[in-house]
Amino acid sequence: MERKLSEYISLSQTIDVTKSSKKIKVGILSSFTINGLGETLTVKCSESDIECKSYVAGYNQYNQEILDPKSKLYSFAPDITFLIIDIRTLLNKIFHHPYSISSSERKKIVKEKISELRNLILQFKKNCNSKLIISNFSLPSYSPSGLIETKSEFGFHDMISEINQELSGIAKDESSVYVYNFNQFISKFGEKNIFDYRQFFIGDIKIAFDYIPYLANDLMGYVKPMLGLNKKCIVLDLDNTLWGGIVGEDEFDRIELGQSSNGKAFVEFQKHLLSLWQQGIILAINSKNNFEDAIKVIREHPGMILKEEHFASLQINWNDKAQNLKVISEELNIGLGSIVYFDDDPVNQERIKQEIPEVLTVKLPEDPSQYTDILMSLNDFNVLQKTDEDLKRGKMYSQQRQRTELEQSTKSIDDFLKQLNIKVTIKKADKFTIPRISQLTLKTNQFNLTTKRYQEEDILKFSSDNNMIVGCAQIEDKFGDNGITNAFIIEKNDKEWKIDTFLLSCRIIGRGIEDAIISHILKEAKNQGIKKIRADFIPTKKNSPAEAFLPNCGFKKENEYWVYDLNNPIKSPNHLLLEVE
Amino acid sequence: MSEKLYNIISKVFSVPISEINDESSPETIESWDSFNVLILVDELESNFNIKFSVSEIIDVKNVKDIKRHLKNHGVV
């Protein structure tokens, strides 16, 4: 349940944001009074361990703020800016009297409005590095022409739809610009609830107080992935979570899945989980059951939407559930902070919350009919760009299970590595790889020497800088393609190079891949007549897997840096093939 | 009514209850601005289960006015 706006406002005065590990600056521009949104975002950010500073532009000042290069907004230098213009403001008197003019005049007005919006977006991009989230326009439930609105030649609603469509088109071409579907927000909660005439007449408030927190919740959906806080994996209990009833106590054909009203609720929940899996969210199971009983339902029950192949890990046993979650996190090589946990039992929920607070434990009600709605209202699975790697993730994790099986059946680690037939392809930063490189810097926590986070625009800038090298590597083996799972950024000068960023997606650690890539970089530097390479290890709570990497590769500590003297021979692993594209 | 009302006013304007009286107004309470008044209205409406009209809301100049309008809505 969402809290009231007044609660957020009073909370915002008491929270201590200085403890937060991440920071963000949020700009808010609006064509109407939107007090309280900044405070709500501050509270919601602090609950996600983010220190949020916000700048809320004066009432209806968005034009000046965007068009004046010296505006307060630009000197505040936001990381992300929300621009919310409402349809009344945009259309002005045409909003009430769209049929006082001809259809060709309406078309002309729409063209003008689109070019105004495009200009605002382009000016903003010119003056500021911030991401821009611009809201689209809500289709009013009302039309002066009543029920024949839909028959009108380029009518009132057509005007707004056209503007929305053009706006999406602009955002598709601009990588740092996103359209927030405000129209969808209004249809979700209802125009009659959101637009309160009293608040509108008294204070030019166009989103009623009760709905500001819901709006903030949607906007947090953009903030979280920017800081790499989006979730990657859903771990599920089985009994009364994925199906109704208790396996082992209830007969197989009494399991509620499909036929009964409750059974339909579980099927609906599974369908939504499957659609998340298709978007690259990893699924896993953590349940207390006899493995044989539970797997029989998964494999054989006609109502099961999710199949064995959709689960990257099956922890079905009588072990402690907190322990199982840790096993899943290790097995899949993903941080506990990337996991969302669904379990119907309040005792288990509490246990996980206490034992592993990093995991997002969802508060599930007793009634399964609410499960889907709860799943869909989570704003934690958003990403700001979707790469090929994301869409293939589900498949990659099942290949991973096959690799583990090979590892367990092979006697020595060397034999295992040789049998994998690993191929490393070093790639340059280009328009195909830049989104992924940025994503890796935002998401990689474990094998990451410096944990510097870069947006797409940053990577683009670095890649066109002659004094920098930005690269990445695609890893393939006999089980399949791991995609681009390494990235590196190097600052060059005449005598020495400095490694700004070197990271590896955790699912490929421990196969000599990192050694091969660093050895490639060392050789490259040597070929260019460089004497030394400097590197840095910045410890965080999570990057201990990368701690021993530099000394193991032969880097020596000099003051606060790790230095490799290129007069020394360069070792490279011989079990894999490295190609430079 | 007064106790519940004072609690709400204290919460919305972040002032101690002891500083609230009939004459409290934007002059005596710093955070009493046009936005917070609307938050106050919202809180009063949900707590007392009533709905004010626009003229009632804009008529409020001090705490005494709020009490008068609450009484008109049958809040005792």
Side-chain angles (χ1 to χ4, degrees), chain A residues 354-395:
Chain A
Q354 300 274 335
E355 179 76 20
I356 324 178
E358 306 96 294
V359 168
L360 173 64
T361 301
V362 178
K363 198 171 176 333
L364 274 189
E366 235 172 83
D367 180 1
S369 70
Q370 302 306 305
Y371 288 5
T372 297
D373 188 49
I374 288 172
L375 175 65
M376 287 197 299
S377 53
L378 292 175
N379 62 7
D380 298 274
F381 302 116
N382 286 302
V383 289
L384 294 180
Q385 74 276 80
K386 197 147 273 176
T387 60
D388 284 352
E389 279 75 10
D390 294 319
L391 297 169
K392 281 188 284 192
R393 193 178 295 126
K395 211 161 136 200

Side-chain angles (χ1 to χ4, degrees), chain A residues 234-247 255-258 262-274 283-287 289 294 297-299 301 303-308 310-311 313-314 316 321 341-345 364 368 371-372 375:
Chain A
I234 300 175
V235 177
L236 300 141
D237 171 47
L238 293 176
D239 294 335
N240 291 321
T241 300
L242 274 196
W243 55 65
I246 296 170
V247 171
I255 294 294
E256 286 193 292
L257 198 54
N262 268 343
K264 286 177 191 159
F266 290 107
V267 168
E268 180 77 9
F269 183 53
Q270 288 201 18
K271 283 181 177 165
H272 282 280
L273 288 166
L274 178 62
L283 301 178
I285 290 174
N286 177 10
S287 90
N289 291 98
V297 178
I298 294 172
R299 284 178 186 154
H301 200 290
M304 276 299 286
I305 301 296
L306 295 170
K307 313 281 183 210
E308 200 177 345
H310 299 123
F311 299 108
S313 175
L314 299 158
I316 304 171
K321 288 203 165 182
Y341 182 51
F342 278 88
D343 192 319
D344 66 294
D345 183 349
L364 274 189
Y371 288 5
T372 297
L375 175 65

Side-chain angles (χ1 to χ4, degrees), chain A residues 398 400-410 416:
Chain A
S398 80
Q400 185 73 7
R401 225 175 22 194
Q402 291 174 286
R403 281 184 200 102
T404 313
E405 281 161 23
L406 174 67
E407 189 172 3
Q408 285 161 354
S409 67
T410 318
F416 164 65

Side-chain angles (χ1 to χ4, degrees), chain A residues 31-32 60 62 85-92 113 206:
Chain A
S31 62
F32 52 92
N60 213 359
Y62 64 94
I85 306 170
D86 69 291
I87 190 63
R88 282 174 182 260
T89 308
L90 186 79
L91 292 183
N92 206 343
K113 295 300 165 190
K206 286 166 180 160

Side-chain angles (χ1 to χ4, degrees), chain A residues 4-7 9-10 13 33-36 39 196-199 201-203 205 209-210, chain B residues 11-12 14 33-43 45-46 51-54 57-58:
Chain A
K4 292 200 72 162
L5 181 64
S6 55
E7 227 173 291
I9 293 176
S10 40
Q13 289 152 3
T33 316
I34 199 149
N35 296 36
E39 288 90 334
D196 179 323
Y197 275 104
R198 289 181 316 158
Q199 293 186 5
F201 292 138
I202 297 171
I205 289 162
F209 293 150
D210 285 352
Chain B
K11 206 179 97 191
V12 172
S14 311
D33 59 23
S34 55
F35 173 70
N36 280 332
V37 159
L38 288 173
I39 295 272
L40 178 67
V41 166
D42 197 48
E43 287 292 307
E45 290 185 338
S46 56
K51 223 161 175 71
F52 292 115
S53 70
V54 168
I57 297 168
I58 55 174

Side-chain angles (χ1 to χ4, degrees), chain A residues 18-72:
Chain A
T18 54
K19 286 194 204 116
S20 308
S21 62
K22 311 219 172 196
K23 291 182 190 342
I24 195 152
K25 289 203 274 181
V26 180
I28 299 171
L29 303 174
S30 162
S31 62
F32 52 92
T33 316
I34 199 149
N35 296 36
L37 180 61
E39 288 90 334
T40 310
L41 283 172
T42 304
V43 174
K44 284 186 180 282
C45 276
S46 107
E47 287 167 353
S48 293
D49 198 24
I50 306 164
E51 177 186 344
C52 168
K53 291 206 175 94
S54 61
Y55 169 72
V56 184
Y59 166 66
N60 213 359
Q61 295 286 306
Y62 64 94
N63 273 307
Q64 296 89 314
E65 293 275 10
I66 289 175
L67 300 178
D68 175 8
K70 292 188 184 115
S71 71
K72 279 191 190 149

Side-chain angles (χ1 to χ4, degrees), chain A residues 128-226:
Chain A
C128 191
N129 279 327
S130 158
K131 286 201 190 297
L132 178 66
I133 319 298
I134 177 168
S135 62
N136 70 5
F137 299 92
S138 63
L139 253 81
S141 57
Y142 150 91
S143 160
S145 71
L147 53 84
I148 57 161
E149 167 63 34
T150 46
K151 287 185 180 282
S152 312
E153 168 71 22
F154 199 71
F156 180 42
H157 289 182
D158 294 334
M159 291 174 81
I160 303 171
S161 302
E162 174 87 9
I163 294 171
N164 283 346
Q165 207 166 349
E166 288 292 322
L167 190 60
S168 298
I170 299 170
K172 274 177 199 152
D173 295 336
E174 304 288 341
S175 68
S176 60
V177 180
Y178 297 82
V179 171
Y180 169 57
N181 202 334
F182 185 67
N183 186 40
Q184 197 176 290
F185 175 73
I186 303 277
S187 47
K188 185 167 165 192
F189 294 103
E191 187 189 60
K192 281 195 172 203
N193 296 313
I194 289 181
F195 190 80
D196 179 323
Y197 275 104
R198 289 181 316 158
Q199 293 186 5
F200 173 51
F201 292 138
I202 297 171
D204 200 18
I205 289 162
K206 286 166 180 160
I207 301 173
F209 293 150
D210 285 352
Y211 294 90
I212 295 283
Y214 290 101
L215 175 69
N217 203 44
D218 276 4
L219 302 187
M220 283 302 289
Y222 295 90
V223 172
K224 288 179 184 177
M226 257 188 91

